[in-house]
Amino acid sequence: MTSLGARKMIDATTIRDLFSQLAAPAESSRRQAAQMLFDLGRALSRDAIERWQQDPEFRSLLINYQDSPRATVGIAISSELFASIRIANGAPNLANVPPDQDAIEFELHFSRIQVERKESSNPPVRLDILTTQTPGGEGAIAKFLGRFGEGIQQVEYEVTDVDRATKILSEKFAQQAIYPATRPGADGARVNFFLVSTTGGKKILIELVEPAT
């Protein structure tokens, strides 16, 4: 597997295999799988984020890694696989999620595999591993798993002011947020969500995240 493969269409079976590889004993296998999932998530959200960046003010609100918006790809998986991935990666700390929200989560960070010199400026790989607190329940992650099964659930982009970014998207792009007001996110962040169409006619959930200061 290489990051180049993530630029092509990946079927659901292959994605599930990549999720399993995140729990592989070999760190190299985990990193390759993480990079493919990260690249795929960014590709799904690229049309929307590039369109929004045409507005200079919105672009100025994005937190960048070098020349690219800093992104984290969120994947929703079963509780069993969640536990396996966490153990295989050294038991990262769980995020502090507001108690009323249906999520248990932790982040995985990997350095990018350098296939070509030009990729050295690409952002490092960041995944948010998510599962439900209540399997079969009414929370967002449980509903996603019940409807779609394990998959890429969202792509996060960090901003310095989520309220202002949300207003820009509403006023200039007619892109309405999922929630009428910014809500608390993990680890003290402030967030809102936007369901956008991809080039292939599918939908991807984009989360704008204002990190805690």
Side-chain angles (χ1 to χ4, degrees), residues 164-177:
R164 182 58 190 159
T166 297
K167 188 173 184 180
I168 292 170
L169 294 184
S170 173
E171 293 180 347
K172 297 186 178 180
F173 296 91
Q175 180 70 59
Q176 300 304 313

Side-chain angles (χ1 to χ4, degrees), residues 37-100:
L37 290 165
F38 179 74
D39 288 348
L40 178 58
R42 290 178 67 225
L44 290 171
S45 61
R46 182 171 294 124
D47 284 351
I49 203 71
E50 288 184 350
R51 183 171 69 255
W52 298 346
Q53 284 186 93
Q54 293 174 11
D55 179 78
E57 185 181 3
F58 182 87
R59 186 170 62 249
S60 73
L61 296 174
L62 287 166
I63 297 174
N64 290 337
Y65 172 85
Q66 296 185 9
D67 295 328
S68 300
R70 190 158 70 188
T72 303
V73 174
I75 63 172
I77 54 175
S78 69
S79 299
E80 294 78 13
L81 184 53
F82 180 95
S84 297
I85 292 173
R86 187 166 180 247
I87 291 170
N89 289 278
N93 291 333
L94 295 176
N96 182 13
V97 179
D100 63 324

